[in-house]
Amino acid sequence: MADNGIGTSKLDNSTFITQSNLECKNLYDYLKTRPPNTLERLYNHPAICLAVYRELPELARQYVIRILFVEQPVPQAVVASWGSQSFAREHNYVTKVLTELNVWMEGSLPGGLIGWILSPTFKRNLKIALLGGGKQWSMSSALEPDKNARDVSFLDTYSSERWECVLHYMVGSQQQEGISADAVRILLHAKLMKRDEEDGSPVITRQGFQFLLLDRQAQVWHFLLQYLDTVEQRGLDLVECLTFLFQLSFSTLGKDYSTEGMSAGLLIFLQHLREFGLVYQRKRKAGRFYPTRLALNITNSQNKNAPLLEEDSPKGYIIVETNYRVYAYTDSNLQVALIALFTELMYRFPNLVVGIITRDSIRQALRGGITADQIIGYLKQHAHPQMLAADQKQTLPPTVVDQIKLWELERNRLTYHEGVLYSQFLSQADFNVLKEYAQSNGVLIWCNKEKRTLVVNKNAHDEVKKFWKKYSKGS
Amino acid sequence: MNNIELPVEKEPEVKSTDDTSLLVIILDTNPGQKLLRENPNIITQVVDSVVAFGNSHLMQKAQNKLAILTCHSKTSQFIYPGPKKLLDVRQIDGQYEAFTLVEKTVKQNITSILSMENSGIVTESLLAGAVAMALCYIARIQRTKANGVKLNCRILVVTGSSDSASQYMNYMNVFFTSQKQNIVIDVCALDQHLSLLQQGCDITGGLYLKVPQVSALLQYLLWVFLPEPPIREKLILPPPVKVDYRAACFCHRELIDIGYVCSVCLSIFCKFSPICTTCHTVFKIPGPLAVKPKKKKIKM
Amino acid sequence: MNDDDDPKEYRWETGYEKTWEAIKEDDEGFLEASVADIILRAKRKRQAQKQSSQKLGMMRHLYLLLDCSESMSSQDLKPTRMICTLKILEGFIEEFFDQNPISQLGIILMQNKRADKVSELAGNFRKHIKYLQSLSKTNLVGEPSLQNGLEVAISSLKLLPAHASREILIILGSLTTCDPGDINTTITKLKQEGIRCSIIGLAAEVHVCRQLANETKGTYSVILDDCHFKDLLYQQVEPPPAAVALESSLIKMGFPHQMNTEGTDEPLTMCMCHVDSIEEGSKLTTGGYYCPQCLSKYCELPVECRACGLTLVSAPHLARSYHHLFPAANYTELAVSNQNRFCYACQKPFGDQDKQIYECPSCKKIFCIDCDIFIHDILHTCPGCATDLATFQITRN
């Protein structure tokens, strides 16, 4: 039988549109991509071990702490027996994560069994972080009491001023002062802004808008990841910077720390952090610095929906009513600009803006590349305390949430899959065989019995072709 | 046309609970308890283990909270965070600053409490009162938390004393309050079997463990009590023991199967007595017992 | 009876409190703090009224007389009086059995001049709640008959042993009652039997209800809105003072325990509660509670043994009621002084907002207002007394 049945006419590639969304990695995704020897170097510091530990899935944290004090490998079967049967899939996932991050590795036991053992460096340093011992963290040298000590509220105002400066720059508010060429370079590198084609001045991109809608913590983390990408070009040591960053994230708000003994590279890094408002320094040469709220728990991005227990954490300001009206108690131009991204503004008062969510306003935002989830997330994050008090379960009116999602779905009536078309089968039987094969492997995208055509996933094309060759030879 | 949807390859949905978790540890440091009378040095080891355990709890999530209480016969006291201003602690070694703070504060406060303890040794630790304090503390945290924050609270009792029936009423009050407030009570017995506290675990859905060796306390704590109640279902943990809920009579403190209950104050007696010793009610002499069948009609 | 003796009279006569004068703006011009203060005060006042060492009727037998007449379809409570009432009752019944675990409850409906006992006196709250839920679809027709309802309840309550506390709780939406005879004879009968009748009116005050409540030592109140309704209803959760006619006696009870001998598996057996039902749950099980007298098996406590009539309870069930009898002592109010910097129980430092602090009379520890309320409302144990051996022993005796 001739195999001319396979006319591999590719589907038009241009219809395949990649939605270039802002990719926000967490620490796990970031570290996963680092080579093992970098990881090993990173684990040399307790602060990083602590941060990695906190990023692990819940079950993994329990596993690690259970074998933290065990000196020899623990048989894999024993570890598997810790979790209950119904959560076996989660167990497998956890095992994968721990292996990928090099937190534990396989080790053989005397009886030929294979067991898990924690990476010795990780284990030693996590123990140090938990129980003490080892060397002091680099920034904790003793300091004289500060004559110009700053309190928490000062640091909060300072940090949000600095950070908003960056955001303001992005939305193109006129004021140009206060942001360095370095920061602009990072924004460009992160594709949050791009050079305008005509005059070369930076303008915000769609990722930039999505970035603006993230919560503050996620913004900082994303921004820093982009910064770290460029660290090596600047001649700074990535491991050194990461270590410092995590030490900073485990410092105490309102305390001062010493710059003594910091390398020249780190001092430059510190100045950059100072520019973004992650640390406060009175003078460049003050010899001490105060971390701000932005720098704390920097990795904690997966729990971004968990509001802090502290009473002094920033309060939300947005009220959404079931009639689609949005009231924002704010005087910040930035926040008004953000609200205006997806609402039609109606009134503006010195401390209050009223807008209305309409189909058009949402569609405009969607066209701008913002997703419904991002809009809802933004409204939720900044919900006024009154909204939270009203109903524990649902912060936003469900009608509004559902409607925004429906408006998004309206636009997504087509989904795109890259595929390869198989046509001109000589017999129905041939067609059926190939269809069965593709279907059982889960790579069939579409088929039509009458016309004897089918489309399979592009990635599986080689495999299907091989199968077809084998099949047609055999028969 | 039969259009077939692509099966989507998915990562297993790993639910991570974003809730803040508050752990209140009640540590019995009464020097009168048998365990400490026999071997006073063991207290250091117990305190170290409890502090390390508390820090492990804080290590789980950045937003986790911890409070530690000591319990004695004369008083109970918060030793972390304590009413006083927190110490200004600087890092001394590679330990995370917040953990150093816990360790320092706890040790300092315990030292001062133990030095204040006078010679009169009382073996009974008033654990029920300490739990009551913990409940008030939790109620305050629940009241003052920001709107929309979910807070899981639990109490862990670590003790080497025995639970005396004299505190029965207080125990029951705190157990039912915990149950109402959805607070889990876990109990780690160091020395003796605690039947009353075991009932508390059963009522509130907590875990009860009698540690076979105090020297391995930290490991037992980390294995059994570190997982928060929402994760416990995913792990194999010691099964709940069947709890004996039989009543003890008020007159002889003996467990009974059939007893007499005062209709006024619900005191339990093992034999008929003409006067209630608790509320001093005089009972009608049962007289000819044959009158009694005038009891409630049996319903169908 | 002389109506003039009633000290409370009508609300518009005595209840004249200039609440608006009590409200003061705080520094920022807000009223909230002041209003919250008034609410807290009211709460404390109610607590102070609770007296300890009073004889209480602990073994309560309560009939719920529910008006199902046309008047219940009125929409002044949302969505209707009936649905609102059922919703609140559900919570009440749960709370009632939580606080009075060895008590029993029954439901009587008053509808179309008749009274039907629809739910017998029983101690299983699930059954009652299930029944209540099915009620939401009943037709609300005709007038209620108070007398018929009371008579049905009397006929069942008078059979109870003398030590039982007998109560009737009436929820009345109608302003009229259609009775076959003179209701005063029924009231006299209730008085003789020592049955306490409390009434919650949903519309307006009715003379006959006031008289009924007064004569039988019950309470009568008319609701203001649904929150007030709930509040009034929940006040009935507290056991009432024992009626004079109430005899005290010792009641024989069984304390079953799970029978499991180590190492051997229990045989599969049928429990007595589900033996004649074909519903779900009527399966053979291994565990269960065995009556110590006749060894019948039950899957739930408390229960009355079907075979030998012994009341079966577990010790915590009794303990749940103890706080009614041994409440925590009331605290005395003090002005904030400098020596007391923080609340003993919750460690809250006293700041400027705290105008009053509270001292326990026996252990002399200081508490904040929130703890005061929490301790007396929910906890029922003074943390100060319970942590000091000296005061601990005093309070116990």
Side-chain angles (χ1 to χ4, degrees), chain C residues 205-365:
Chain C
E205 182 152 329
V206 178
H207 177 76
V208 70
C209 295
R210 163 69 65 200
Q211 197 188 342
L212 172 64
N214 279 353
E215 303 242 332
T216 58
K217 303 211 165 42
T219 56
Y220 177 43
S221 24
V222 178
I223 64 160
L224 300 171
D225 58 12
D226 51 348
C227 289
H228 188 227
F229 186 14
K230 194 171 173 185
D231 203 40
L232 287 173
L233 198 58
Y234 276 57
Q235 281 174 26
Q236 300 292 329
V237 168
E238 295 283 322
V244 190
L246 195 67
E247 273 174 27
S248 323
S249 60
L250 280 176
I251 306 141
K252 200 172 171 189
M253 283 194 190
F255 299 94
H257 51 105
Q258 278 136 333
M259 290 231 275
N260 55 333
T261 36
E262 283 303 314
T264 54
D265 282 332
E266 273 177 87
L268 283 168
T269 43
M270 185 70 126
C271 67
M272 286 292 277
C273 0
H274 292 107
V275 77
D276 47 17
S277 75
I278 27 175
E279 292 167 47
E280 84 291 5
S282 56
K283 288 199 188 99
L284 294 171
T285 49
T286 53
Y289 302 95
Y290 295 87
C291 170
Q293 199 160 263
C294 64
L295 296 181
S296 338
K297 187 176 106 163
Y298 295 92
C299 56
E300 253 187 344
L301 293 181
V303 72
E304 193 175 337
C305 178
R306 286 190 172 200
C308 62
L310 191 68
T311 310
L312 306 178
V313 293
S314 75
H317 281 123
L318 294 178
R320 246 173 221 276
S321 312
Y322 284 151
H323 70 83
H324 295 305
L325 303 152
F326 312 102
N330 280 323
Y331 294 166
T332 42
E333 205 170 280
L334 298 176
V336 182
S337 66
N338 286 331
Q339 304 120 290
N340 304 306
R341 289 194 325 268
F342 57 90
C343 166
Y344 178 76
C346 74
Q347 309 292 300
K348 179 181 147 187
F350 292 128
D352 301 331
Q353 292 104 333
D354 304 274
K355 293 181 187 69
Q356 253 85 39
I357 51 174
Y358 299 87
E359 187 191 56
C360 171
S362 70
C363 65
K364 304 287 177 203
K365 296 276 185 343

Side-chain angles (χ1 to χ4, degrees), chain B residues 52 102 149:
Chain B
V102 174
V149 180

Side-chain angles (χ1 to χ4, degrees), chain A residues 53-54 58 66 82-84 90 93 129-130 133 135-137 140 250 252 255-257 303 310 445, chain B residues 3-4 11 14 17-18 58-60 65 89-91 93-97 99 147 223 233-234 236:
Chain A
Y53 179 79
R54 275 193 179 160
E58 219 148 9
R66 283 182 174 198
W82 289 344
S84 62
E90 194 166 336
Y93 172 71
L130 178 61
K135 280 208 308 274
Q136 224 175 31
W137 297 5
S140 299
F250 289 116
T252 315
K255 266 195 196 174
D256 51 344
Y257 294 89
N303 295 334
E310 274 81 27
I445 293 174
Chain B
N3 204 346
I4 296 142
E11 289 267 279
V14 179
T17 45
D18 286 348
L58 289 178
M59 190 162 79
Q60 298 299 307
K65 298 280 167 216
V89 171
R90 290 273 163 190
Q91 219 177 16
D93 52 13
Q95 195 179 21
Y96 176 25
E97 209 168 56
F99 297 167
N147 286 324
W223 274 67
E233 54 165 5
K234 296 181 190 169
I236 309 272

